[in-house]
Amino acid sequence: MTAVTAEEATQGAADGAAADAARAEAFDAAVAADDRIEPRDWMPDAYRASLVRQMAQHAHSEIIGMQPEANWISRAPSLRRKAILMAKVQDEAGHGLYLYSAAETLGTSREELLDKLHAGRQRYSSIFNYPTLTWADVGAIGWLVDGAAITNQVPLCRCSYGPYARAMVRICKEESFHQRQGYELLLALSRGTPAQHEMAQDAVNRWWWPSLMMFGPPDDASAHSAQSMAWKIKRHSNDELRRRFVDICVPQAEALGLTLPDPDIRWNEELGQHDYGAIDWTEFQEVLKGNGPCNEERLAQRRRAHEEGAWVRDAAAAYADRHAERPGTSGAAAEPVEATA
Amino acid sequence: MSSSTDWPLWEVFVRSRRGLSHTHAGSLHAPDAEMALRNARDLYTRRSEGVSLWVVPSTAITASSPDEKDSFFEPAGDKPYRHPTFYEIPEGVKHL
């Protein structure tokens, strides 16, 4: 699906600067025309590197994000909630796989991406370094964390890199279920006993601010934003998306009968949007540096899962090798494909 | 880590319902065709998106080069007479 062949690479070197300039021009024109860049197209090295960084971080976030919620599968309060939560956690694994595949079209291997995650050399979203203390946290994650993710991800469906945009279309379709199940879960608790209501409010209190931080640093402090927007990888600034999210959440919180833990939230008639309080960016930086409540635990669990799964990968590879030695024993492929459909 | 290399890459094609062609859905890694098919089911049809699946080793696909796009597809460029709109038909003539 990806690789530039050796022949193409040699040819690229031989053609020299003139051809490079022509290719750069074609790339710029495609981006300007809102056309999509596809894996085998020429692209600037920095564009490729920026995409790999963002897509890897996105993929890692999906699979690390399985942990805080999977923590509650065995203690879900009903079979209905348990089935829903398992489906959601399975979706997160799927989203990770879509994104790893898309990242691989840029010439990086799956193994390399996982190695860098395990070595702490590539990041995942810092939101997953917070613990899930009660069942209500599963609801707050669905409503707020997935809600923030959707606000971030919908514009990525129009990202200039084709495989990333296509992966995001699929992911966004599935995220909607994630957000609605969380909202419904919180609603049930909010309308339940006083203790359940309090549990829901406590979860919202803890998840609100970290959810706002998911949009990344303020625009004037965001290292990659300007270039990503010029390349149309990003379509809106961090602060713009954050404000959009606040506007969406305020009425949703009211309908839940819960309050957002920010006394400064009020409607600004003049601007036609909500004002909100100052975000504690020191906390964000600390979690990013590895000092969040669960940083070590998440990475240790990921490494352990990978190491403990090694025998399964080895067994599957050994089985495949043995079957490859005895042709005709596996699959049904020796006919024209249409005939097998 | 005991497995030192990735499993081969497979391209996945899904027929969403009978009467439609299989379309490319994405790719995945698997040790063999059978596992690729099972993984494809779990990855690309969790919400009944398909009634049939193909998996093809990515290495088996030969693609045209984007650099030769213009010259490669050029032969069709100067043949507008292959389109029905090329022909002028008197007004009022029906079923044509």
Side-chain angles (χ1 to χ4, degrees):
Chain A
M1 186 158 188
T2 76
V4 175
T5 63
E7 191 189 350
E8 281 172 319
T10 331
Q11 185 195 336
D15 285 353
D20 275 355
R23 286 178 183 144
E25 204 172 299
F27 171 86
D28 290 341
V31 171
D34 258 344
D35 214 349
R36 296 290 177 268
I37 306 300
E38 294 296 341
R40 284 160 48 96
D41 291 338
W42 183 91
M43 62 187 85
D45 290 343
Y47 176 82
R48 186 184 297 273
S50 188
L51 277 170
V52 169
R53 178 188 55 78
Q54 182 172 338
M55 290 161 74
Q57 173 167 341
H58 199 158
H60 298 333
S61 301
E62 298 286 355
I63 64 166
I64 295 284
M66 296 166 73
Q67 292 183 34
E69 293 186 283
N71 182 36
W72 282 92
I73 290 177
S74 62
R75 288 168 290 164
S78 68
L79 190 55
R80 175 178 183 270
R81 294 287 178 197
K82 187 172 184 162
I84 290 169
L85 187 54
M86 284 198 294
K88 182 183 190 273
V89 172
Q90 194 191 3
D91 270 358
E92 306 298 359
H95 296 178
L97 292 173
Y98 304 154
L99 288 163
Y100 283 123
S101 291
E104 281 174 280
T105 64
L106 292 162
T108 170
S109 75
R110 180 78 51 103
E111 190 179 28
E112 181 186 339
L113 293 171
L114 286 177
D115 283 350
K116 282 184 174 162
L117 169 65
H118 296 157
R121 283 164 53 213
Q122 279 177 342
R123 286 186 167 139
Y124 55 88
S125 177
S126 58
I127 191 86
F128 300 118
N129 291 316
Y130 291 88
T132 39
L133 302 179
T134 71
W135 169 251
D137 287 27
V138 172
I141 288 179
W143 176 40
L144 295 173
V145 176
D146 290 313
I150 292 172
T151 308
N152 253 331
Q153 288 170 355
V154 166
L156 283 174
C157 297
R158 295 184 297 123
C159 159
S160 60
Y161 187 57
Y164 194 21
R166 290 191 287 275
M168 291 318 303
V169 168
R170 187 175 281 275
I171 288 174
C172 284
K173 271 188 204 160
E174 300 182 349
E175 287 285 356
S176 175
F177 135 62
H178 297 180
Q179 195 188 18
R180 289 175 68 121
Q181 65 82 32
Y183 192 83
E184 190 208 61
L185 192 165
L186 280 180
L187 190 65
L189 289 176
S190 179
R191 291 178 177 174
T193 65
Q196 287 172 328
H197 180 89
E198 198 182 323
M199 188 195 278
Q201 182 63 59
D202 169 65
V204 170
N205 290 350
R206 282 181 290 109
W207 288 95
W208 173 250
W209 291 107
S211 299
L212 289 190
M213 294 176 199
M214 281 176 69
F215 295 93
D219 293 346
D220 50 22
S222 175
H224 306 288
S225 275
Q227 181 59 70
S228 284
M229 285 178 74
W231 278 328
K232 296 189 184 172
I233 296 173
K234 252 176 106 125
R235 296 279 180 165
H236 306 280
S237 80
N238 295 353
D239 287 331
E240 197 182 340
L241 291 169
R242 187 163 18 239
R243 185 169 295 285
R244 189 181 291 178
F245 179 66
V246 173
D247 285 340
I248 289 170
C249 286
V250 170
Q252 289 178 349
E254 273 172 34
L256 277 176
L258 298 172
T259 54
L260 298 172
D262 178 359
D264 295 328
I265 289 185
R266 59 179 57 85
W267 179 248
N268 183 323
E269 195 67 53
E270 201 178 317
L271 297 174
Q273 60 193 22
H274 290 90
D275 292 332
Y276 57 92
I279 294 170
D280 179 5
W281 291 110
T282 335
E283 176 183 324
F284 179 74
Q285 293 301 340
E286 280 304 305
V287 179
L288 216 55
K289 269 191 265 171
N291 303 325
C294 302
N295 293 57
E296 283 178 32
E297 183 187 331
R298 299 289 185 240
L299 214 48
Q301 170 61 23
R302 174 88 268 286
R303 286 196 207 102
R304 189 162 59 239
H306 192 70
E307 283 160 16
E308 289 177 359
W311 72 270
V312 179
R313 295 192 295 277
D314 289 345
Y319 181 84
D321 285 347
R322 186 172 305 175
H323 276 252
E325 287 163 15
R326 288 186 291 164
T329 52
S330 82
E335 307 159 63
V337 280
E338 283 292 354
T340 66
Chain B
M1 187 165 30
S2 50
S3 315
S4 60
T5 52
D6 282 327
W7 285 334
L9 194 63
W10 303 77
E11 300 301 325
V12 178
F13 297 81
V14 180
R15 184 201 290 284
S16 56
R17 58 186 169 84
R18 299 177 69 83
L20 296 179
S21 299
H22 289 74
T23 28
H24 186 238
S27 55
L28 52 77
H29 289 275
D32 58 25
E34 203 178 327
M35 286 300 292
L37 211 47
R38 282 168 186 275
N39 291 351
R41 177 200 59 190
D42 292 345
L43 189 55
Y44 292 106
T45 63
R46 285 198 301 284
R47 288 175 176 77
S48 314
E49 290 95 335
V51 295
S52 165
L53 279 172
W54 292 346
V55 290
V56 180
S58 304
T59 50
I61 293 178
T62 309
S64 62
S65 160
D67 285 345
E68 291 163 17
K69 182 176 54 145
D70 294 341
S71 57
F72 191 71
F73 294 106
E74 185 265 338
D78 60 353
K79 296 175 183 63
Y81 46 83
R82 284 176 168 168
H83 297 276
T85 48
F86 179 76
Y87 302 94
E88 280 188 34
I89 302 298
E91 252 181 68
V93 176
K94 290 180 178 166
H95 307 301
L96 197 68

